[in-house]
Amino acid sequence: MTWDRFLLCGTSAAETEPVRLTAGPLNADFVNGNLRMIRHGGTEVLRAIAYVVRDRDWGTYEPALTDLTIDQGADAFSVSYAASCTGPGGSRLAFRATIKGSSDGQLVFDVSALPDSDFETNRCGFCILHPIAGLAGSPVTVEHTDGSVVATKLPDLIDPWQPFKDLRAITHEVRPGVTAQCRMEGDVFEMEDQRNWSDASYKTYVRPLALPWPYVLPAGETNRQTISLRIASDDNTPATIEASGPIRVTLGDPGPALPDVGMIIHPGDVETALANLATLSVLGPQQLLFHYDPTRGHGLDTLRSFARVAAAYPALTTLECVVACSGDLDAELAEVADTVRRANLRLDAIAVSPSVDRQSTPPGSAWPPCPPLEDVYAAARRAFPDIRLGGGMFSYFTELNRKRVPAGLLDFVTHCTCPIVHAADDLSVMQSLEALPFITRSVRAIFGDKPYRIGPSTIAMRQNPYGGATKDNPQGQRIAMANSDPRQNGRFAAAWTIGYAARVAPVGLEMLTLSAFTGPFGVLAASGEPVAERSPRPIFQAIKGLCELAGLKHVAAKTSDETRVLALAGRSSSGKTVVWLTNLTASDVAVDLSEFGRDRIVMTPYAIARIG
């Protein structure tokens, strides 16, 4: 059956189909000028080799390819193309690329770029992605630009900064008897732990972040970079055999309680929420998270509108309060507390974060002025002595990992994630789920058993810590750092949501917030979507399922292929077990349910299914 892309992804636009390049045991997917899923003998060696040009807000140019030639032989392949980027003021960067691969495990990707006028960029050059599954914490050999060679390991817990700098080559074991060396020439490279942003990779990129950015590529000066991958294997090393047949689901032991489900309410959402209280009640979130930002004009009227929602819908309430930190902290937070009282807003908790902490401080940059967090939290505690106090980052785990808050002064810690910081294609977004267990384990390593909340975490970007603003997306495209995403409107978001909850459930969260009620992050549709305006989007059923699981004991649930199907299970005090399955792919997937005394089922693309 051919599925309507609009129903699946909220857009009729199809992604570019990859071209499979093959040379003996070596193969790779060629997509939009770059390489994805580079494998040897069936094992993933690198997740990507991509030539990337970014603007001053870290947005990525999408150059159109011309003069594309692909030659596929029996034991080798080659690709060549030309492309260009047009920057502000009409400045233009043209480049030519060649890719060659051979059956002896050699792969070379070479690019020469030539700006016709001074071209401003934050990054221009190669990014190489090493996968995390099976590699996190494993031994690697690193060669530096000075020729020194060091035996070390990839980080297991997420490194807040660059684990390796001044890189020339990285060598790792692909599988027993097979090693891969990735050599980078033409500039100085360094590695960052992209799991910080929930990317499922370690990224080695060109130009150290300690150097100034944006920077200018001078007119008429050629910039050439080359990536060489050399894979060595024993003659007797067997290839990886892909599992066939239906995906199996197995259950393990019960663990911590599944979290409350939160719902973010922005000031602009209030009237729609009040007009759809019956739908909100059917959905059933246990907690409401009210976003309050005095630096953007929120005040008494905002809190009064929140109070109307809190009075109409029985749930625990938390105020997500941005603190300007522009003067006396006690005076500022006392004013917030007084305004809450005047608005008659019932609160169970408040989470506070300095406004400046919503912006990232990259490696090599100066930290912006900010009062000590100890002082911010103490002032918040004095202003709100009778409710729970939370802190952390209203941005992403990256910022929490780099600025570790004094959690001893808090009742809970919190952060968000976003899967489209660096890439927005369907595969990258779903792969971001792989990084979530590393994030939650890293938080536990930093903060111990402190009560822990995640969210609001949505596909679209709520705020941009890395540039001046999020990207507007009026055409409903798949673009990085966008403040709306078409997949929120389709089945894709429902599949991603169940997958997200499945990945973080073992850590024992206190609350998980994965949507708003309305708007671009919400569960209710706007006009022009696959379903009628104000009716539930497909994600509604996923959030409702999570709400029904809240408080049940999490039961470890595994599948035989977690790149395609994930499982989330909860068990009630009476012993009843409920399992949610999610198909993370755009293809039909057969699932073996013999664990539950049932026949196999076929899950359609991006489907979710309840068992029990």
Side-chain angles (χ1 to χ4, degrees):
M1 178 178 181
T2 300
W3 284 88
D4 182 356
R5 290 192 296 265
F6 195 56
L7 174 65
L8 297 181
C9 295
T11 173
S12 297
E15 291 190 302
T16 303
E17 286 292 325
V19 176
R20 178 63 55 87
L21 305 172
T22 302
L26 175 69
N27 61 69
D29 291 342
F30 178 75
V31 187
N32 296 328
N34 296 312
L35 298 179
R36 298 285 301 267
M37 304 297 289
I38 302 162
R39 307 172 188 85
H40 186 273
T43 303
E44 185 179 19
V45 179
L46 294 178
R47 183 139 286 184
I49 303 176
Y51 190 81
V52 175
V53 184
R54 299 196 188 276
D55 63 24
R56 67 177 300 113
D57 288 321
W58 293 102
T60 303
Y61 290 101
E62 297 185 5
L65 308 189
T66 59
D67 300 329
L68 174 63
T69 301
I70 300 177
D71 290 324
Q72 175 68 69
D75 297 310
F77 59 79
S78 65
V79 178
S80 64
Y81 65 86
S84 65
C85 303
T86 301
S91 59
R92 181 175 175 271
L93 176 71
F95 55 92
R96 297 199 65 88
T98 60
I99 303 170
K100 295 181 179 180
S102 55
S103 59
D104 61 357
Q106 310 295 307
L107 176 67
V108 178
F109 195 157
D110 180 87
V111 174
S112 292
L114 181 65
D116 62 6
S117 59
D118 288 354
F119 189 88
E120 182 186 68
T121 182
N122 275 1
R123 175 170 296 152
C124 178
F126 279 108
C127 292
I128 302 98
L129 305 184
H130 283 76
I132 59 176
L135 278 187
S138 67
V140 294
T141 301
V142 171
E143 180 181 335
H144 294 287
T145 54
D146 62 3
S148 61
V149 178
V150 178
T152 182
K153 290 184 178 182
L154 289 167
D156 182 20
L157 296 176
I158 300 174
D159 196 320
W161 308 108
Q162 302 98 319
F164 308 133
K165 296 182 178 181
D166 299 321
L167 290 175
R168 184 59 66 221
I170 303 173
T171 304
H172 75 277
E173 184 179 69
V174 176
R175 61 184 187 276
V178 182
T179 60
Q181 182 190 77
C182 183
R183 180 166 294 275
M184 300 145 285
E185 297 173 296
D187 209 323
V188 177
F189 289 75
E190 63 187 18
M191 175 185 283
E192 67 186 10
D193 195 336
Q194 273 207 138
R195 297 175 298 172
N196 276 292
W197 295 271
S198 74
D199 294 68
S201 59
Y202 302 97
K203 180 171 74 177
T204 302
Y205 55 91
V206 72
R207 190 170 166 96
L209 286 172
L211 297 176
W213 48 267
Y215 60 99
V216 172
L217 299 175
E221 291 187 15
T222 299
N223 180 286
R224 182 180 179 184
Q225 297 174 25
T226 305
I227 304 301
S228 302
L229 179 65
R230 293 178 172 83
I231 302 170
S233 63
D234 297 336
D235 292 338
N236 298 323
T237 302
T240 301
I241 300 175
E242 292 188 11
S244 59
I247 292 174
R248 300 181 306 279
V249 182
T250 56
L251 298 182
D253 297 327
L258 289 164
D260 282 356
V261 174
M263 183 70 58
I264 183 71
I265 304 289
H266 294 96
D269 301 335
V270 167
E271 295 305 322
T272 303
L274 290 170
N276 293 272
L277 284 173
T279 305
L280 182 61
S281 296
V282 169
L283 186 65
Q286 287 78 29
Q287 302 215 28
L288 297 178
L289 181 61
F290 296 122
H291 178 68
Y292 183 69
D293 185 357
T295 70
R296 297 184 179 176
H298 298 172
L300 180 59
D301 289 343
T302 302
L303 295 178
R304 281 176 171 163
S305 69
F306 290 155
R308 292 166 60 204
V309 178
Y313 180 76
L316 296 174
T317 57
T318 297
L319 190 69
E320 183 187 62
C321 181
V322 175
V323 185
C325 297
S326 57
D328 183 270
L329 290 171
D330 279 310
E332 180 180 352
L333 284 155
E335 182 179 356
V336 174
D338 181 64
T339 309
V340 168
R341 285 189 290 269
R342 290 165 59 200
N344 293 317
L345 174 58
R346 172 185 54 80
L347 291 178
D348 297 287
I350 183 171
V352 297
S353 182
S355 178
V356 70
D357 279 349
R358 291 181 293 181
Q359 290 300 119
S360 178
T361 301
S365 302
W367 288 88
C370 182
L373 290 177
E374 289 85 353
D375 295 349
V376 176
Y377 296 158
R381 185 73 77 180
R382 287 189 289 269
F384 293 91
D386 301 322
I387 63 174
R388 300 180 73 223
L389 174 64
M393 292 292 161
F394 295 164
S395 52
Y396 308 128
F397 169 74
T398 319
E399 286 65 55
L400 182 63
N401 200 18
R402 290 176 173 175
K403 187 176 183 179
R404 301 179 177 184
V405 303
L409 303 176
L410 300 170
D411 297 308
F412 61 88
V413 294
T414 184
H415 69 81
C416 308
T417 68
C418 177
I420 60 169
V421 173
H422 295 112
D425 59 278
D426 293 346
L427 179 61
S428 293
V429 172
M430 283 302 188
Q431 285 178 336
S432 71
L433 301 175
E434 296 177 23
L436 296 176
F438 292 97
I439 288 177
T440 55
R441 190 156 57 86
S442 295
V443 168
R444 285 297 187 216
I446 298 167
F447 300 112
D449 60 359
K450 177 68 63 176
Y452 175 21
R453 300 181 177 189
I454 293 180
S457 296
T458 56
I459 296 176
M461 179 177 269
R462 196 166 63 124
Q463 61 184 30
N464 183 3
Y466 317 109
T470 55
K471 302 290 185 183
D472 291 331
N473 191 12
Q475 303 302 317
Q477 300 173 302
R478 299 171 176 90
I479 58 175
M481 297 188 179
N483 53 24
S484 65
D485 190 284
R487 289 163 292 198
Q488 182 74 15
N489 315 331
R491 287 172 52 166
F492 187 102
W496 182 83
T497 296
I498 294 294
Y500 195 113
R503 288 293 197 181
V504 302
V507 78
L509 294 176
E510 177 178 278
M511 183 169 77
L512 177 62
T513 303
L514 295 177
S515 75
F517 188 55
T518 64
F521 313 106
V523 298
L524 296 187
S527 62
E529 295 185 13
V531 295
E533 186 173 3
R534 298 288 175 88
S535 63
R537 291 168 170 157
I539 190 178
F540 184 99
Q541 192 62 34
I543 297 294
K544 184 174 184 291
L546 298 183
C547 292
E548 293 169 350
L549 287 176
L552 274 60
K553 287 287 187 181
H554 173 247
V555 178
K558 299 292 184 183
T559 75
S560 56
D561 188 348
E562 295 195 332
T563 66
R564 292 193 290 163
V565 174
L566 286 174
L568 172 67
R571 184 170 296 161
S572 69
S573 56
S574 65
K576 179 182 179 181
T577 300
V578 176
V579 181
W580 279 91
L581 302 175
T582 177
N583 178 2
L584 306 178
T585 77
S587 303
D588 290 348
V589 177
V591 181
D592 178 358
L593 297 180
S594 56
E595 174 89 357
F596 312 101
R598 298 178 55 172
D599 294 333
R600 76 176 191 175
I601 61 172
V602 175
M603 298 189 70
T604 55
Y606 302 127
I608 60 175
R610 185 183 190 273
I611 309 297

